[in-house]
Amino acid sequence: MTETLIATKSRRWLFVLTILTGSFLLFLIQPMVARMAMPRLGGAPAVWNSAQLVYQALLLGGYAYAHFISRQSPKRQTMIHIGLFVVAALWLPVGLIAANPPANASVVLFVPWLLAASIGPLFLAVAAQAPLMQRWFHIHAPHADPYPLYAASNVGSFAGLLAYPLLVEPMLGNSAQSWLWTGIYALLLLLMGTCAFTIYRDSAATADAEDAAKAEAVDEAPPSLSRKLRWIALAAVPSGLMLSTTTHLTTDMMSIPLLWVIPLGLYLLSFSVAFAARRGLADLILFLSPFVILTLGGTALLSASRSPVLMMAGSLVLLFVVAVALHSLMYRDRPSPRYLTQFYLLMSVGGVIGGIFCALVAPIVFDWVYEHPILILAAALLIPQTSLFPFKRAGGIGRLPQMLIAVLIFLGALYYLYHNNSPVDEKLPYFIVPMLLVGIWMVGNRPAFMVMLLAIMGVADGWDKAQPRLEADRTRSYFGVYNVYPDHYENLQKLVNGTTLHGLQHLDPAKSKEPTSYYGHGSGVGIVLDRAGALYPKGARVGIVGLGAGTLACYAKPGQQWHFYEIDPVMVDIAKKPEKFSFLSQCTPDAAIHVGDARLTLADQPAQSLDILVIDAFSSDAIPMHLLTREAFAVYQRVLAPDGVLVVHISNRYFDLEPVLAAEAQKRGWFALGRWDYPDTEDDALTASTWVAMTREAQKLADATNPSQDSAAEWEELTPRTGFSGWTDNYGSVLPLVKFWDKEEE
């Protein structure tokens, strides 16, 4: 008996190591392949959304495959799975097939085909490891619970997810990353082969497993349809909430590159807690989850301007608690190991449903991120509630009076918000704190609890965000939620995406052509475009990457040719309608507008077809790295005339992008100057900006950056950073560029 126990423990570590390695590979390949695809597909959010759906679909395929072969005999399982690993190895080393999106093709439709053809067999084979190795472990130890091994699987997934941005990407280029993944795949094949050899040779363990399967058939009936649907729902809500939290954070709080890694990492860690053999932490989180949903879920829509870091932390804690709670309910309701692969298959189905809802359905159906509060409410419906007050559980307080109180509070909140048409602002604590206390008192009475949760959401900025401003025109695309509305106090028309200002125009017709926001006459781009006529007397050919509201159009002069490059068709629609913004219609009504990722569309333009090229495609503080690589600058150099001027917008709260451009200028032998413009004016229409101008001719740069006499700021030479050689399509990391200071404070 002792020898058997020792053997089981040694085998357990073998299976745990195999599962860890497979899960590490699975979540290492996701950001790796997306990084490889960026130069070809662009850095659009639609690409990331489509890629995430591909991964979830392939994961579902891997789980379905594991469920299918688990019905075979153990020996046949090992033969089939080893065969799949060998065949999948034909797709090594990891890379993308030679295919570019056809003209005018939707990236959302092209990405699934590209990724599936490039890594589909590899991803499917590795994805099957977690459920299949648990099944194989059960063959060896029929009386041991294999489900806690899934916790190890998600530890490996979390490690792989963090390893890429923190270690792999900063240290290795794409080709080296590919060979690293190939080496670990070979290790996984060896480990999996060892596991297969063990169960293949152990006929006694196989007999024990068959006996255990017969006992399971007697002890537990197949899961009912309602039970299966419950598993799907419990998996779908955390999966969807992970994506909606990512959208919420990057839209309404901080558009920090790689911020999506944090919600995904917490989502993976939730499985490790929920499926752990020791239940203390998971049970505690499950008990506290209704109170967390009421407080952090009810206030999740508060404006990030109050405290962005605190609000971001609250959203992440809410995601983790909800995910742990719902996954713990799945663990509590897990079937016998006989139905293990079916259980994980249905869990994966739920994950895909949550992903489809947030990544595909919501952007089409909703004009705002309604999916986020909907998923919070869905979590509140699924999580069991236990009251803190024993006398309530004994029936001392009627449920109907509680419901009436909740409805009265809800109606009172609606009345106040409707007639004031604004959030409660400075009165917020006086509203929220009493409502939270009443809501806590109602935990255990689910209908009353849900009504209170809705009331708190509405008061805590939910009403203001869900309802567009009275005169606002709101549109949603895969790239964001755009609000166009007049600010009568400042007499400006505004274009806002979340907390990010994308365009301003004076409502006064006499000022409607004046450049605003980052593009004033004192900005770097304003100075260069003001001098375009003197630089190119025969008529400048100007290209603008990033349309926005079309503000730069009013720098155009007669005889010039203007081209705009914009990835989002919705933004083009906003800029072209005079009732929203009239820059284009007033100043460049005949300008050519090219829709698509700028790097791809510029690559199709004739060589030396532009005199001035402005790169302003940065969405808030997110960095489209593929537009700043050496290969991207080669595209710009080809499309620019030999005496052309390149102007790049690098304003960013979190990263210092000056070293990227300084390194590129140094390698190409170009001349570069930067301008940090902080308008010394009370004009609310002008904002601070940072621009870099680059040319191949020193005199041309001097002529292009010669400011008017009333410009206070001066151009400065860019300083290359020692040890930083810039970005390429093969290598690039944002970590060395984290900003710890602001140039304005010097």
Side-chain angles (χ1 to χ4, degrees):
M1 182 68 179
T2 303
E3 293 178 357
T4 302
L5 181 61
I6 294 174
T8 299
K9 288 184 176 180
S10 64
R11 290 165 182 164
R12 182 185 182 89
W13 281 109
L14 172 62
F15 285 96
V16 167
L17 182 59
T18 305
I19 290 173
L20 278 170
T21 305
S23 298
F24 180 85
L25 274 181
L26 202 62
F27 279 83
L28 186 65
I29 199 174
Q30 292 191 20
M32 180 187 301
V33 172
R35 173 72 175 83
M36 293 177 180
M38 191 179 294
R40 196 180 305 181
L41 302 173
V47 175
W48 291 100
N49 290 341
S50 297
Q52 187 67 22
L53 282 179
V54 171
Y55 298 145
Q56 289 179 319
L58 289 174
L59 186 66
L60 174 61
Y63 282 13
Y65 155 77
H67 176 61
F68 171 76
I69 70 167
S70 68
R71 300 176 180 179
Q72 309 298 315
S73 67
K75 291 183 179 180
R76 185 170 294 178
Q77 289 182 40
T78 61
M79 295 174 62
I80 294 174
H81 197 50
I82 290 175
L84 175 62
F85 255 76
V86 172
V87 172
L90 297 175
W91 274 256
L92 292 173
V94 175
L96 296 177
I97 63 172
N100 289 314
N104 301 320
S106 171
V107 175
V108 178
L109 299 177
F110 178 75
V111 169
W113 176 83
L114 176 66
L115 296 186
S118 300
I119 64 169
L122 287 169
F123 199 100
L124 188 142
V126 177
Q129 289 303 297
L132 196 57
M133 290 303 107
Q134 291 177 69
R135 183 65 180 170
W136 288 7
F137 173 73
H138 180 64
I139 291 176
H140 281 290
H143 303 291
D145 186 359
Y147 284 100
L149 270 67
Y150 195 64
S153 169
N154 286 280
V155 169
S157 300
F158 183 72
L161 186 67
L162 287 188
Y164 186 77
L166 297 180
L167 297 174
V168 177
E169 186 182 32
M171 298 176 63
L172 301 174
N174 287 350
S175 57
Q177 294 173 23
S178 180
W179 284 109
L180 171 66
W181 200 93
T182 301
I184 301 176
Y185 182 87
L187 173 62
L188 177 61
L189 178 58
L190 177 63
L191 290 170
M192 187 270 298
T194 305
C195 294
F197 178 78
T198 302
I199 66 169
Y200 187 87
R201 294 292 300 271
D202 195 343
S203 59
T206 302
D208 290 341
E210 292 173 351
D211 292 339
K214 293 177 181 179
E216 292 169 6
V218 175
D219 294 341
E220 182 176 335
S224 64
L225 177 61
S226 61
R227 193 178 179 191
K228 293 177 182 178
L229 292 176
R230 175 176 167 80
W231 292 342
I232 291 174
L234 291 173
V237 172
S239 172
L241 189 62
M242 180 263 294
L243 293 178
S244 71
T245 298
T246 304
T247 302
H248 179 53
L249 293 180
T250 56
T251 300
D252 289 340
M253 294 185 189
M254 298 180 181
S255 296
I256 303 176
L258 299 179
L259 186 60
W260 61 273
V261 172
I262 301 176
L264 181 55
L266 292 175
Y267 172 77
L268 295 174
L269 278 182
S270 72
F271 284 105
S272 299
V273 175
F275 281 69
R278 297 181 179 180
R279 306 303 305 157
L281 179 58
D283 290 343
L284 176 62
I285 291 176
L286 182 59
F287 173 76
L288 294 176
S289 57
F291 308 99
V292 174
I293 289 175
L294 188 70
T295 54
L296 298 182
T299 58
L301 304 180
L302 278 173
S303 174
S305 61
R306 301 175 189 273
S307 179
V309 175
L310 185 61
M311 293 304 302
M312 182 173 67
S315 295
L316 294 174
V317 170
L318 173 66
L319 168 64
F320 182 70
V321 168
V322 167
V324 169
L326 296 181
H327 292 152
S328 294
L329 292 177
M330 293 192 70
Y331 180 81
R332 284 184 176 184
D333 194 33
R334 68 194 185 280
S336 70
R338 181 187 181 201
Y339 305 107
L340 179 146
T341 54
Q342 183 185 63
F343 174 75
Y344 286 124
L345 175 61
L346 293 173
M347 179 191 296
S348 182
V349 169
V352 170
I353 291 174
I356 290 175
F357 173 64
C358 288
L360 293 182
V361 176
I364 296 174
V365 175
F366 302 143
D367 67 351
W368 183 68
V369 287
Y370 289 105
E371 64 270 22
H372 193 58
I374 287 174
L375 289 165
I376 294 173
L377 291 169
L381 282 174
L382 291 171
I383 292 174
Q385 298 184 12
T386 303
S387 174
L388 292 177
F389 306 100
F391 61 87
K392 282 183 58 183
R393 295 198 297 268
I397 300 287
R399 298 172 65 87
L400 183 57
Q402 283 188 336
M403 187 64 187
L404 291 175
I405 293 172
V407 170
L408 288 174
I409 293 175
F410 177 75
L411 293 176
L414 281 184
Y415 179 85
Y416 177 88
L417 293 168
Y418 179 78
H419 285 280
N420 286 273
N421 194 41
S422 66
V424 294
D425 295 329
E426 71 278 357
K427 300 176 183 178
L428 182 66
Y430 301 102
F431 280 80
I432 292 294
V433 173
M435 294 174 72
L436 287 175
L437 293 176
V438 173
I440 291 173
W441 174 59
M442 292 179 178
V443 171
N445 185 348
R446 194 182 301 274
F449 177 86
M450 295 297 296
V451 172
M452 285 304 304
L453 179 58
L454 275 171
I456 294 171
M457 281 184 173
V459 170
D461 287 356
W463 175 272
D464 184 57
K465 289 185 176 180
Q467 293 290 327
R469 290 172 174 85
L470 190 61
E471 300 177 71
D473 182 354
R474 184 162 64 197
T475 308
R476 181 174 182 176
S477 73
Y478 283 102
F479 302 89
V481 177
Y482 304 112
N483 282 287
V484 179
Y485 65 94
D487 185 332
H488 295 292
Y489 177 78
E490 297 178 355
N491 203 30
L492 295 169
Q493 180 86 333
K494 293 186 175 182
L495 170 61
V496 177
N497 177 16
T499 58
T500 304
L501 181 68
H502 280 278
L504 293 172
Q505 186 172 26
H506 287 283
L507 291 174
D508 183 354
K511 297 182 178 180
S512 62
K513 293 184 179 181
E514 290 185 9
T516 56
S517 62
Y518 313 104
Y519 315 108
H521 290 283
S523 66
V525 69
I527 291 173
V528 173
L529 292 179
D530 272 334
R531 295 192 54 76
L535 293 171
Y536 307 100
K538 295 182 179 180
R541 299 166 297 171
V542 181
I544 308 293
V545 174
L547 177 60
T551 311
L552 289 176
C554 287
Y555 280 102
K557 301 294 188 296
Q560 297 179 352
Q561 300 177 24
W562 278 61
H563 296 259
F564 290 94
Y565 303 86
E566 172 59 47
I567 194 171
D568 192 353
V570 171
M571 187 66 77
V572 174
D573 183 68
I574 291 173
K576 291 179 70 172
K577 290 186 176 180
E579 64 271 20
K580 295 181 179 180
F581 291 94
S582 60
F583 291 118
L584 285 181
S585 60
Q586 291 188 93
C587 302
T588 57
D590 299 324
I593 299 179
H594 309 268
V595 179
D597 184 79
R599 180 166 162 181
L600 299 177
T601 51
L602 281 172
D604 293 334
Q605 301 302 305
Q608 301 183 16
S609 59
L610 294 175
D611 297 309
I612 298 175
L613 177 59
V614 178
I615 307 297
D616 182 38
F618 298 81
S619 174
S620 183
D621 294 290
I623 303 171
M625 185 182 294
H626 71 295
L627 295 180
L628 293 179
T629 63
R630 189 161 306 146
E631 292 81 359
F633 277 91
V635 173
Y636 307 152
Q637 180 172 328
R638 187 192 70 85
V639 79
L640 276 172
D643 64 342
V645 181
L646 178 65
V647 187
V648 185
H649 190 190
I650 61 170
S651 301
N652 197 286
R653 285 173 287 185
Y654 310 112
F655 297 92
D656 178 19
L657 300 178
E658 178 186 348
V660 179
L661 275 68
E664 193 60 36
Q666 186 179 56
K667 286 186 177 296
R668 293 183 178 277
W670 284 22
F671 302 91
L673 294 174
R675 183 177 179 84
W676 290 260
D677 179 42
Y678 304 99
D680 185 17
T681 175
E682 296 181 357
D683 189 349
D684 294 326
L686 296 177
T687 55
S689 63
T690 305
W691 294 85
V692 172
M694 305 172 65
T695 65
R696 281 174 276 188
E697 298 178 2
Q699 185 57 50
K700 179 65 71 172
L701 181 63
D703 294 339
T705 58
N706 182 21
S708 58
Q709 294 182 355
D710 60 351
S711 297
E714 298 293 336
W715 294 83
E716 300 178 15
E717 291 187 9
L718 300 190
T719 304
R721 181 179 295 181
T722 304
F724 183 82
S725 58
W727 290 336
T728 68
D729 287 349
N730 187 54
Y731 173 80
S733 173
V734 298
L735 293 182
L737 305 178
V738 175
K739 185 184 292 186
F740 297 102
W741 50 270
D742 196 314
K743 203 171 185 75
E744 183 181 17
E745 298 174 355
E746 287 190 333

